[in-house]
Amino acid sequence: MKFDSSQAWARASQAVSANREVVIAVAGVFFLLPQLVFAIFSRPRRPEPG
């Protein structure tokens, strides 16, 4: 059995297209959640005198 990269890419693209909502939800968790946690728990910076 040989590896066909164009067929693998076509299958991967088809799988992502078929599950677009799930992919968007998972991407939202990995991009939005860390930024939200950082914004909630980080202290605001104080301006340095000078």
Side-chain angles (χ1 to χ4, degrees):
M1 184 168 152
K2 283 189 162 184
F3 176 71
D4 185 7
S5 63
S6 64
Q7 184 182 13
W9 179 258
R11 285 186 181 181
S13 297
Q14 185 181 18
V16 169
S17 296
N19 299 304
R20 186 173 304 256
E21 292 83 15
V22 175
V23 172
I24 291 171
V26 170
V29 167
F30 282 102
F31 286 111
L32 178 66
L33 192 60
Q35 292 177 3
L36 183 64
V37 169
F38 182 75
I40 291 172
F41 293 111
S42 68
R43 297 181 192 165
R45 292 187 177 186
R46 294 184 192 166
E48 295 181 12

